Amino acid sequence: MNGQEWAEILVPLIVFSALVALMGLILLYNYKKKRLFLQMIERSLQQQLTLPPQTIREVALHFFSANRDTRKGVFLLVLSGSILAFSYFADFRQNGNLDLNDALNGIAILPALLGLAFLLLARLDRQRLY
């Protein structure tokens, strides 16, 4: 393999690996933030401090609100749309049986379905609250 063939393989691999790493870091940050909140509540209860239910409810709504699901859903739909647009505008040559444009269209399905699921969860959560 020459340098150009390696570049054709490594560039998409690095780009998609960076996206996966970024999403993993975001998920890890959100997990740690929620865990710290729950540890604070647990410590307060162990010290038998009185926490008014309104305080717990307000802080919990900040972490577990339907608006966050809406934001996640819209973000994932935009991500899916950007992958589809990239696949549409990029003209990859077909090597053997693999068509990279079809593969990218298939990859775009996952964030689209996840985005729709988050939007559905946000809608169901809003109907439950009101």
Side-chain angles (χ1 to χ4, degrees):
M1 283 189 168
N2 61 20
Q4 184 179 0
E5 290 175 348
W6 277 105
E8 289 177 0
I9 295 171
L10 289 178
V11 169
L13 181 67
I14 291 171
V15 168
F16 287 117
S17 298
L19 288 174
V20 168
L22 180 65
M23 292 299 289
L25 288 173
I26 290 171
L27 290 173
L28 181 66
Y29 171 74
N30 287 334
Y31 168 75
K32 294 221 180 233
K33 192 167 62 168
K34 288 177 185 179
R35 194 176 80 191
L36 285 173
F37 167 70
L38 293 174
Q39 286 175 350
M40 180 203 57
I41 297 295
E42 184 181 4
R43 272 183 275 145
S44 299
L45 293 175
Q46 285 175 349
Q47 295 174 355
Q48 297 179 348
L49 297 175
T50 57
L51 287 174
Q54 294 85 4
T55 304
I56 295 173
R57 184 175 298 123
E58 287 300 319
V59 175
L61 282 176
H62 175 71
F63 284 112
F64 307 106
S65 71
N67 287 337
R68 295 181 94 56
D69 286 344
T70 304
R71 284 187 224 135
K72 287 178 191 175
V74 169
F75 172 77
L76 288 169
L77 286 174
V78 168
L79 177 67
S80 175
S82 65
I83 292 171
L84 284 172
F86 175 73
S87 173
Y88 178 75
F89 289 115
D91 187 26
F92 296 106
R93 62 185 171 148
Q94 191 170 354
N95 293 332
N97 294 332
L98 178 66
D99 185 9
L100 193 54
N101 288 327
D102 291 342
L104 286 173
N105 292 340
I107 290 171
I109 290 173
L110 178 66
L113 291 177
L114 287 173
L116 290 174
F118 274 117
L119 291 175
L120 178 65
L121 288 173
R123 183 173 172 92
L124 291 174
D125 197 29
R126 283 196 181 113
Q127 287 177 353
R128 187 184 57 134
L129 289 176
Y130 299 114

